[in-house]
Amino acid sequence: MSDMSSITAAEAPEPINLQPRPGSGRSDKPRSLAGDAWNDLRRSKIFWVAVVLVTIVLVMAIWPTLFTSADPRSCALSNQHKGANGTAYFGYDFQGCDVFAKTIHGARNSIIVGVVSTMIAGVIGIIIGLSSGFFGGWVDAVLSRFVDVMLAIPFLLAGIVLSSRLSADPNDNGLIAVILTLGLLTWTSGARVMRSAVIAAKNQDYVAAGRMLGAGPGRLMLRHILPNSIASFIVVLTILLGINIGVEATLSFLGVGLKGDAISWGIAISEATPSARVAAAPLVWPAVFLGATVLAFIMLGDAIRDAFDPKLR
């Protein structure tokens, strides 16, 4: 057996240096879930394409005059079905209205309906999902069955009935009715996702520690559980926003959504359908903008979901 004391200092192994080298750009600080998600998002091409499209649509909705100075309600039958020119880039519809101006200004109502209805659905989904997941027992049973009942109702049929009843006034443009209709019918998916996230979060150690320190149910839900359960819920709302924009166009196309003097992509598609063989542009361009907007929000939600999903890491 060799004598350990005979090992010289030169023969001893050098200690491993775990400190980052200067200029290596590495940091020993632990990153949060949001930091890891952002690192994934900024390398995602789908995320940046969706951000660019969403930004363009938002700018169109807020400042339509940046894109066109034409009045979408200024129509002349002498321009009926005329082709594109230097001012009307998409030509004219059957009423002689500028299709480009109507398409640009139609973004505002679509964004308003999508954002406000999604906020309403988000508030309802948080209240029901958070209460169901946190309290459990009979509260969870009752709220879960209520969600099942809502999911059993045919969505389009319920939207048509509810929207037509809320906008029975012929002088109403239907904006508030569509917002309330979508907000009251589209919260179920968010509530289910929130319930699942809350059930997983309420069994964590930090919740048990807060309960031992005397925190009540309200503080536990709002200060401890909700911030750690909101990520997946936000992803659902992002996708839902795009879906609500598409549903608004569908209701407007069917005549039970926006109406009257309101400018909407769904109304433009509905008005251009009978004369689509004569002039396709009044039908095609609103449909293209609608499809691109819905796709952009869905792509954005998918990218955020993939970034925050730990199973994909």
Side-chain angles (χ1 to χ4, degrees):
M1 182 180 296
S2 60
D3 189 359
M4 297 299 296
S5 61
S6 63
I7 300 177
T8 63
E11 295 173 343
E14 296 182 358
I16 299 175
N17 184 14
L18 298 178
Q19 298 295 327
R21 292 193 302 256
S24 63
R26 295 176 56 189
S27 174
D28 56 351
K29 295 181 179 179
R31 292 185 305 188
S32 63
L33 176 61
D36 289 337
W38 170 242
N39 286 332
D40 291 341
L41 285 175
R42 66 182 183 180
R43 292 193 298 266
S44 174
K45 295 180 180 179
I46 295 179
F47 171 74
W48 288 113
V49 171
V51 167
V52 170
L53 291 176
V54 169
T55 303
I56 293 175
V57 173
L58 291 178
V59 173
M60 286 169 48
I62 299 173
W63 297 292
T65 54
L66 292 178
F67 298 86
T68 178
S69 58
D71 185 0
R73 295 183 176 87
S74 178
C75 307
L77 288 177
S78 58
N79 294 325
Q80 184 181 39
H81 291 159
K82 284 188 177 180
N85 54 41
T87 56
Y89 302 113
F90 297 162
Y92 297 89
D93 61 9
F94 76 105
Q95 292 180 329
C97 304
D98 189 340
V99 176
F100 180 74
K102 292 181 67 174
T103 303
I104 296 297
H105 284 266
R108 173 171 294 179
N109 282 329
S110 296
I111 294 298
I112 291 175
V113 170
V115 171
V116 179
S117 63
T118 302
M119 292 174 61
I120 295 175
V123 172
I124 299 175
I126 285 179
I127 294 174
I128 293 182
L130 188 59
S131 302
S132 178
F134 181 81
F135 293 107
W138 68 269
V139 176
D140 183 26
V142 172
L143 293 179
S144 296
R145 298 296 78 77
F146 178 58
V147 172
D148 293 340
V149 170
M150 293 297 298
L151 289 173
I153 300 175
F155 175 73
L156 186 58
L157 177 60
I160 293 174
V161 173
L162 186 58
S163 179
S164 60
R165 295 306 304 167
L166 292 176
S167 61
D169 187 358
N171 298 321
D172 184 15
N173 62 4
L175 181 63
I176 303 299
V178 174
I179 290 175
L180 292 176
T181 297
L182 297 181
L184 295 174
L185 295 177
T186 58
W187 54 268
T188 51
S189 298
R192 280 191 162 187
V193 170
M194 175 58 68
R195 174 183 176 273
S196 300
V198 170
I199 291 176
K202 75 175 183 179
N203 296 319
Q204 299 299 319
D205 293 339
Y206 58 85
V207 178
R211 186 178 288 110
M212 292 177 61
L213 292 174
R219 183 177 180 84
L220 287 174
M221 286 190 294
L222 299 179
R223 296 294 299 273
H224 299 281
I225 295 179
L226 182 59
N228 292 281
S229 307
I230 201 69
S232 56
F233 185 74
I234 292 176
V235 172
V236 173
L237 291 188
T238 305
I239 299 176
L240 179 62
L241 200 158
I243 295 175
N244 282 345
I245 292 176
V247 174
E248 176 273 317
T250 302
L251 294 176
S252 299
F253 178 83
L254 296 175
V256 294
L258 301 184
K259 55 188 178 181
D261 60 347
I263 300 175
S264 166
W265 289 331
I267 295 176
I269 295 172
S270 177
E271 293 176 345
T273 299
S275 56
R277 293 186 178 182
V278 179
L283 172 65
V284 170
W285 286 114
V288 169
F289 275 69
L290 172 63
T293 302
V294 174
L295 180 62
F297 281 104
I298 293 177
M299 289 170 56
L300 182 62
D302 286 341
I304 297 175
R305 180 194 59 194
D306 294 343
F308 277 94
D309 190 353
K311 296 179 182 179
L312 301 177
R313 298 186 180 280

